[in-house]
Amino acid sequence: MGDFGWGAGATDAGPRARDRDAPGRLRIDLLGPVTARRAGAPLDLGPVRRQAVLAALVLRTGTLVTHPQLLDGIWGSEPPGTGRRVLPSYVYPLRKALDEPGTAPAGSLIRGERGGYRFVPGEARTDLGELAELTAGAQRSKAAGDLAGALDHAGRALLLFRGEPLPGLPGPFADAERQRLAEQRRTLHHQRAECLVLLGRYADALDGLMAAPLAPQAYDEPRTALRMRALYGSDRQAEALTAYQETRDLLIGELGVEPGDELRRVHRAVLRRDDLVLLGRARTTASVSPSVAVAERPGPRLPRNELPGDIACLVGREAELALLTAPVPTGAVSVAAVSGTAGVGKTALVVRAAWTLRGRYPDGCLYVDLHAHGAAHESLDPRRALHRLLRAIGCANGDLPDDLDELVTAWRAATSALSLLLVVDDARSVEQVRPLLPAGPGSRVLVAGRQRLSGLDADLRLTVAPLGAGEAVTLLTHLLGEARAGREPGAAQELALRCGGLPLALRITGARLQNRPAWSLAHLAARMADDERGLGELKAEDRSVEAAFRLSYDQLAPELRRTFRALGQAPTPAFDALTPAVMLGRSHHDAEDLLESLVDASLLEQPQPGRYRLHDLVRVHAGRLAAEVPQQAASDRGSALHLYTAAGRIASDWGPEGFPTGPDVTGSPFSGWLDAATWLDAAGGELVDVVACAVAAGESDHACWIAESLVDHLVRQGRYHESRAALELALSLAETAADRRMPSSLRNCMGIVDLYQGRPRQAHTWFTDALRIARHDLREQARARAGLGGAERALGRTDEAVVHLREVRELAGRLDDDWLAGMSTCNLGAILHHEGRHEEALEHYDTALALAEKIGRPRMISKTLCFIAEAHLALGHYATAASRSRRAADLAHEVGDLPLRAASLSMLGAAEHGRGDPDLAVALHLEALATLTEHTSTPLEMEIRSRLGTTYATTGRRAEARRQFLAALRLTGAEDHPRERGTALAGLRDC
């Protein structure tokens, strides 16, 4: 065994409605950012390359996707150095996220088969499946002459798109699928618009064509033909002919060809006024769209358009725009509330939506800016706003009362017979908005503001998120021009990243570069590289990102300002309520209420229930505000860093008592090791950021304590590179730490990580250095010697290993350290085992198991059980070996230790082979291999492959056996592990 002393046909409700009603059902969406939800709760799908693996399988549902297809489709011309060995490290966490707990590999949604993987959805639903159903339904309805049905199916299909499909996913396969799905989306827009034309709803058809994404080429002939038909139906024959001429000029100028047959046919029909060809029927009355037809009303009708000018480029808001402009019931006033952080583009979105909708509201399009986040004298209270609105619809100014209730009554009476579109911008409270709602059935109100107006009766609520990386680059490219941005694509991406996807920041960046033609994009990116300075760079004349944030902050209640400043000292961008609760000295419940209020104020994001996140630029601003109160900021930061130290120490197998110096963690909010480990797991890949935060703040001791405490938690999950990164950061400050144990302890920790990764020579160097430094620290000396014993054993130097391990056992007794005693005893037993002295080894293992059960940590018990199982295997006690291995595997699964689970599963496979069930043995070895990650130690993988090869060979499957032995020998660093290499070579010779 590896060195485990230190680790070795839709209904009316539609498919989507059915999916919502199915409790516990899994849903996977790819028509936008890749997401998965179970019973409405979001699932963590990990980084983009893991999402790309999932997308590649879901897009080929039911089909075996081979390893080469996955590698070529996702990595393209730059495959990983480990080849297909890397794939299980992507598939395993996907299974863990998507499958129900306890699902066996054979029942997983992602089935591993010879040569590849297959996605078998079972009860899971995908938006791709719904898209196929609705598209087919639209085609059937249209073929049957049911235009209303076809329109409904196409409209619901388009609502499935939440922006660009598969955004940010790498590889040629995702690129090709993005293009295919974009084309399918354009086709649906075309089909929907054609149905609207045939139904006589020409204005709606034109609106739909405007909202539809453009084809890659500038000359989309089918779109032009359909636009000409809608313009003709709206009695705009001249505009239809102009549209034809513009497209013809493009085709001749760029391709040197005339328009195609269909476009020329539509052109001739417009010239002849051929209603049958263009509209699908002879026109008997003037064309008036049923959706905008309005009964004659008494009094003056003064159509008025007060909308601000639309911006030239609105990027990445297709899904939101589709929702805001979708048809609404005509018998009531429809209200849509749009919220989002400062600078995210709320106003631009609602103004674009209003311009798209304007043709449906013949009585006027009104706009009122409440200036809730402007200067005090600019703020518009409801009375002033109602005066302005009543004048806009023609009511005499002199007749208007001053009392708010009377004004509301007058406004409702004046609008009761009107169909109005009203945009209310920069609203802060429900009390500002509610008096402004018109009374006319069929009117629509679009409200934009930073606050989520939860008290407002809205039919639709949208929170506008920052743009994705690709969309941000697109907007910046539009502002600067293709030529300038194209010369520095890397710098353009860096600037987009620095702007955090905020359109305001991107537009200010574009303006600065437009006004400074001598500046390169890289020059500005360098000026923005420092977070503190970078926020100051986002300023152009009267526009400033920081000023926008400051206005939001200034309007908070005092306790929310205090909370916001504290969040500026949080060591990670994302957190749960526990971190601010500890920083503020509040209960978890109180802290959660405060965070929810900041979410409502659009100063905080909530990517998933219970988790919160500060936008990068907002986080910098919060940090700057915190720095204005330095003592408070230092206290907040120290409280947060202490929380991570406590979590790491409590979650570690060493236990809090294994950390003899540093802070006392007995008063922590964690009930036990599992509670602490679960909390750390929720931080995902941000744990290294905590150490980096401490380093950046000059908190030497906290940086060292946290990096030390996280080692056990990270290595048990195979996250060696993260542990190493955290330790390297802390080592840079170890000599300045007040805790003089840290220089030797961190070196011991680096050695532990190397041992886990199967790098005994490097580990030996670290342990030797730690022993030299720990001259006056008996515990660190003992740990260094324990590490040296493990390294010497791995290097085949048994005598030296025994000397070290016996000394450790003696020191552990003096220190009353059961963990050290147990691990050193296990390693001594392993040496006896490899010398063939299995009964003596078991005596050592039984002693170690008693110590492990005394400590009560499942992971230590599991490790020891693995040693015991291996000895019983050697003695031919297969039933005992199987029971010990099975319990070890269950405990490893409980604590999430992937390498340990892989080792115990493989040991169980060997035991089942010995009991006469080679098929079960093969399945267990394969499951063990699938559990491995790209960071798994080489000797452990060699061991598992050799066992699998042996099982194949004894069942006559010699070709497969040879492949496993060869794969073991070809692993990187295999030559450094003579024992495992000898086993593989012997197996290869016997095949």
Side-chain angles (χ1 to χ4, degrees):
M1 195 184 73
D3 296 308
F4 278 96
W6 292 89
T11 64
D12 288 344
R16 177 161 289 190
R18 293 202 308 270
D19 187 65
R20 281 197 206 98
D21 294 337
R25 176 172 286 178
L26 174 69
R27 178 176 180 85
I28 301 172
D29 290 334
L30 304 182
L31 299 174
V34 179
T35 61
R37 305 175 74 86
R38 186 178 295 282
L43 305 177
D44 182 10
L45 298 179
V48 291
R49 208 177 293 276
R50 190 188 302 165
Q51 295 175 28
V53 171
L54 175 63
L57 296 172
V58 173
L59 282 158
R60 299 181 178 112
T61 292
T63 302
L64 179 67
V65 186
T66 66
H67 296 140
Q69 286 175 327
L70 283 171
L71 291 172
D72 293 342
I74 296 168
W75 280 268
S77 59
E78 297 180 357
T82 52
R84 67 185 181 87
R85 284 179 51 220
V86 76
L87 293 176
S89 69
Y90 289 85
V91 171
Y92 174 82
L94 286 173
R95 287 173 170 165
K96 187 175 180 181
L98 298 175
D99 291 341
E100 293 276 15
T103 302
S108 173
L109 274 75
I110 302 176
R111 309 281 172 85
E113 299 181 22
R114 185 174 179 181
Y117 297 94
R118 187 190 309 271
F119 181 77
V120 182
E123 292 295 313
R125 295 283 295 177
T126 70
D127 56 1
L128 293 172
E130 292 185 13
L131 180 66
E133 292 177 25
L134 290 168
T135 301
Q139 292 169 347
R140 287 193 302 269
S141 296
K142 189 176 181 186
D146 179 10
L147 293 175
L151 180 65
D152 176 62
H153 280 87
R156 285 192 285 139
L158 284 168
L159 288 177
L160 293 171
F161 288 89
R162 296 168 292 115
E164 179 189 41
L166 315 175
L169 296 198
F173 178 78
D175 288 341
E177 287 299 309
R178 266 191 293 271
Q179 294 177 31
R180 181 184 69 82
L181 291 168
E183 181 58 34
Q184 188 171 357
R185 187 181 189 183
R186 284 192 292 272
T187 300
L188 282 166
H189 271 289
H190 185 94
Q191 292 172 348
R192 181 177 181 275
E194 186 172 24
C195 289
L196 288 168
V197 168
L198 294 173
L199 287 167
R201 295 171 57 181
Y202 311 121
D204 289 345
L206 288 169
D207 288 343
L209 288 170
M210 176 179 283
L214 296 175
Q217 67 275 14
Y219 33 86
D220 185 345
E221 292 188 60
R223 185 175 185 273
T224 300
L226 199 50
R227 182 164 170 257
M228 289 173 65
R229 292 169 62 187
L231 287 168
Y232 175 84
S234 302
D235 293 325
R236 295 156 68 182
Q237 183 188 24
E239 291 181 58
L241 295 173
T242 300
Y244 172 81
Q245 192 59 48
E246 288 173 350
T247 301
R248 181 175 182 269
D249 291 343
L250 270 172
L251 287 166
I252 293 174
E254 295 193 16
L255 299 181
V257 298
E258 287 284 343
D261 292 342
E262 175 60 17
L263 189 55
R264 291 203 306 271
R265 186 177 73 89
V266 170
H267 179 237
R268 289 193 299 270
V270 172
L271 291 172
R272 294 197 308 266
R273 295 184 175 271
D274 190 337
D275 291 354
L276 191 60
V277 168
L278 297 170
L279 309 179
R281 63 184 184 280
R283 184 163 18 181
T284 56
T285 60
S287 295
V288 179
S289 170
S291 66
V292 299
V294 182
E296 286 296 318
R297 306 179 180 91
R301 292 182 57 193
L302 301 173
R304 185 179 179 117
N305 187 346
E306 293 186 336
L307 297 177
D310 193 4
I311 62 172
C313 182
L314 185 71
V315 174
R317 303 302 187 203
E318 293 85 359
E320 294 91 340
L321 193 60
L323 290 170
L324 287 172
T325 58
V328 294
T330 57
V333 177
S334 173
V335 179
V338 178
S339 62
T341 192
V344 81
K346 304 177 293 296
T347 298
L349 173 62
V350 296
V351 168
R352 170 64 60 85
W355 276 101
T356 304
L357 293 166
R358 69 190 186 283
R360 305 182 197 176
Y361 297 92
D363 294 312
C365 301
L366 307 181
Y367 175 86
V368 58
D369 188 345
L370 298 180
H371 294 290
H373 295 88
H377 69 278
E378 295 176 332
S379 181
L380 205 63
D381 65 29
R383 286 182 301 177
R384 289 176 60 199
L386 284 170
H387 276 114
R388 183 173 298 178
L389 289 171
L390 284 163
R391 286 197 300 271
I393 61 172
C395 292
N397 188 37
D399 296 334
L400 299 180
D402 283 329
D403 180 76
L404 179 59
D405 289 339
E406 292 182 21
L407 279 169
V408 170
T409 301
W411 169 245
R412 290 173 180 167
T415 58
S416 62
L418 301 180
S419 177
L420 291 170
L421 173 64
L422 171 63
V423 176
V424 181
D425 197 10
D426 200 12
R428 183 185 174 194
S429 67
V430 176
E431 289 73 22
Q432 284 182 306
V433 176
R434 194 176 285 131
L436 311 184
L437 300 181
S443 292
R444 188 181 317 215
V445 182
L446 306 179
V447 184
R450 300 180 193 181
Q451 292 281 348
R452 293 183 176 180
L453 305 179
S454 54
L456 184 66
D457 292 329
D459 307 292
L460 174 67
R461 295 183 186 278
L462 290 178
T463 298
V464 184
L467 298 174
E471 295 164 340
V473 172
T474 299
L475 177 55
L476 193 59
T477 300
H478 171 80
L479 296 169
L480 298 177
E482 291 278 359
R484 190 172 182 187
R487 285 196 298 270
E488 300 178 79
Q493 291 179 349
E494 177 69 14
L495 285 172
L497 177 67
R498 293 289 171 190
C499 291
L502 287 184
L504 174 61
L506 290 160
R507 292 184 182 279
I508 290 174
T509 298
R512 286 174 65 78
L513 288 167
Q514 288 166 355
N515 292 330
R516 293 164 177 80
W519 279 17
S520 66
L521 276 65
H523 175 73
L524 181 55
R527 291 172 65 94
M528 295 176 63
D530 178 76
D531 284 342
E532 291 296 316
R533 182 177 179 183
L535 192 57
E537 290 288 332
L538 295 174
K539 182 177 181 180
E541 295 186 358
D542 63 337
R543 294 195 299 176
S544 165
V545 172
E546 186 164 25
F549 293 158
R550 184 74 194 223
L551 286 169
S552 295
Y553 169 80
D554 287 343
Q555 294 190 5
L556 296 175
E559 64 176 354
L560 289 178
R561 293 186 200 175
R562 170 73 182 92
T563 305
F564 185 68
R565 291 196 304 273
L567 297 182
Q569 296 302 306
T572 59
F575 41 82
D576 64 0
L578 183 58
T579 302
V582 169
M583 297 164 85
L584 298 168
R586 305 286 290 264
S587 70
H588 188 281
H589 183 270
D590 286 348
E592 198 166 46
D593 286 345
L594 291 167
L595 294 177
E596 289 295 331
S597 295
L598 289 174
V599 170
D600 287 341
S602 295
L603 282 169
L604 191 62
E605 300 169 3
Q606 191 173 32
Q608 62 190 75
R611 296 291 293 178
Y612 302 87
R613 186 183 187 280
L614 284 171
H615 182 278
D616 292 343
L617 293 176
V618 176
R619 188 181 183 209
V620 172
H621 179 58
R624 291 170 74 154
L625 290 171
E628 296 174 3
V629 192
Q631 288 186 330
Q632 190 180 80
S635 174
D636 291 343
R637 183 174 60 248
S639 296
L641 295 175
H642 179 272
L643 181 65
Y644 280 91
T645 303
R649 291 186 170 191
I650 293 169
S652 169
D653 269 0
W654 306 346
E657 62 280 0
F659 301 86
T661 59
D664 179 10
V665 300
T666 54
S668 81
F670 303 109
S671 59
W673 73 266
L674 184 58
D675 187 23
T678 301
W679 187 77
L680 290 172
D681 283 338
E686 295 183 333
L687 292 176
V688 178
D689 294 340
V690 181
V691 180
C693 172
V695 170
E699 300 271 8
S700 305
D701 288 277
H702 275 301
C704 295
W705 293 331
I706 296 169
E708 175 196 42
S709 71
L710 290 176
V711 169
D712 197 53
H713 175 78
L714 292 173
V715 297
R716 81 176 59 154
Q717 299 176 355
R719 295 160 64 183
Y720 311 122
H721 63 296
E722 291 179 55
S723 183
R724 189 182 304 281
L727 289 168
E728 287 172 349
L729 284 167
L731 271 168
S732 68
L733 294 182
E735 299 302 328
T736 65
D739 188 343
R740 298 315 303 152
R741 188 176 62 85
M742 288 299 100
S744 57
S745 175
L746 295 182
R747 285 167 171 80
N748 275 330
C749 290
M750 288 291 281
I752 291 171
V753 176
D754 276 328
L755 268 187
Y756 267 96
Q757 283 192 280
R759 302 165 59 182
R761 287 189 177 84
Q762 294 90 327
H764 193 282
T765 301
W766 284 113
F767 291 130
T768 301
D769 202 21
L771 184 61
R772 176 183 59 79
I773 294 173
R775 290 186 297 273
H776 307 296
D777 191 323
L778 198 60
R779 188 181 297 271
E780 290 308 319
Q781 288 181 38
R783 290 195 171 179
R785 289 195 179 280
L788 285 169
E792 299 283 16
R793 182 169 81 84
L795 291 167
R797 301 197 285 257
T798 304
D799 293 341
E800 292 89 335
V802 169
V803 171
H804 285 302
L805 293 170
R806 284 177 176 167
E807 185 168 354
V808 172
R809 196 161 56 169
E810 189 271 329
L811 288 171
R814 289 164 57 188
L815 293 165
D816 195 24
D817 190 324
D818 290 334
W819 187 88
L820 268 177
M823 286 296 99
S824 57
T825 301
C826 259
N827 274 304
L828 284 168
I831 291 171
L832 292 169
H833 169 77
H834 290 298
E835 291 176 349
R837 299 156 65 184
H838 308 305
E839 296 288 358
E840 294 177 67
L842 277 173
E843 292 177 9
H844 282 71
Y845 294 156
D846 288 341
T847 300
L849 182 61
L851 289 167
E853 289 178 335
K854 176 184 174 184
I855 296 171
R857 296 296 172 114
R859 185 163 168 262
M860 188 175 178
I861 297 170
S862 178
K863 288 180 183 180
T864 311
L865 287 168
C866 277
F867 281 110
I868 293 172
E870 190 173 32
H872 281 294
L873 273 177
L875 291 168
H877 304 159
Y878 299 121
T880 304
S883 67
R884 300 294 187 272
S885 301
R886 188 172 291 107
R887 186 181 172 212
D890 290 343
L891 289 169
H893 180 69
E894 178 184 332
V895 298
D897 190 323
L898 299 182
L900 183 55
R901 179 163 171 78
S904 51
L905 285 171
S906 182
M907 198 80 70
L908 179 57
E912 295 296 349
H913 185 187
R915 296 175 74 183
D917 194 342
D919 290 338
L920 177 56
V922 167
L924 287 164
H925 291 315
L926 289 173
E927 185 178 354
L929 283 176
T931 302
L932 301 181
T933 71
E934 58 187 307
H935 306 295
T936 296
S937 70
T938 295
L940 176 58
E941 184 169 352
M942 292 178 75
E943 205 168 71
I944 295 172
R945 290 192 180 278
S946 291
R947 286 203 188 103
L948 177 56
T950 300
T951 304
Y952 277 143
T954 56
T955 57
R957 299 162 69 176
R958 298 192 176 277
E960 291 165 287
R962 285 181 63 82
R963 278 196 291 272
Q964 292 302 324
F965 291 128
L966 285 170
L969 292 168
R970 289 169 180 166
L971 290 172
T972 303
E975 64 279 358
D976 294 331
H977 305 284
R979 180 168 60 85
E980 290 80 4
R981 190 169 184 274
T983 302
L985 283 169
L988 191 60
R989 284 195 298 270
D990 292 340
C991 284

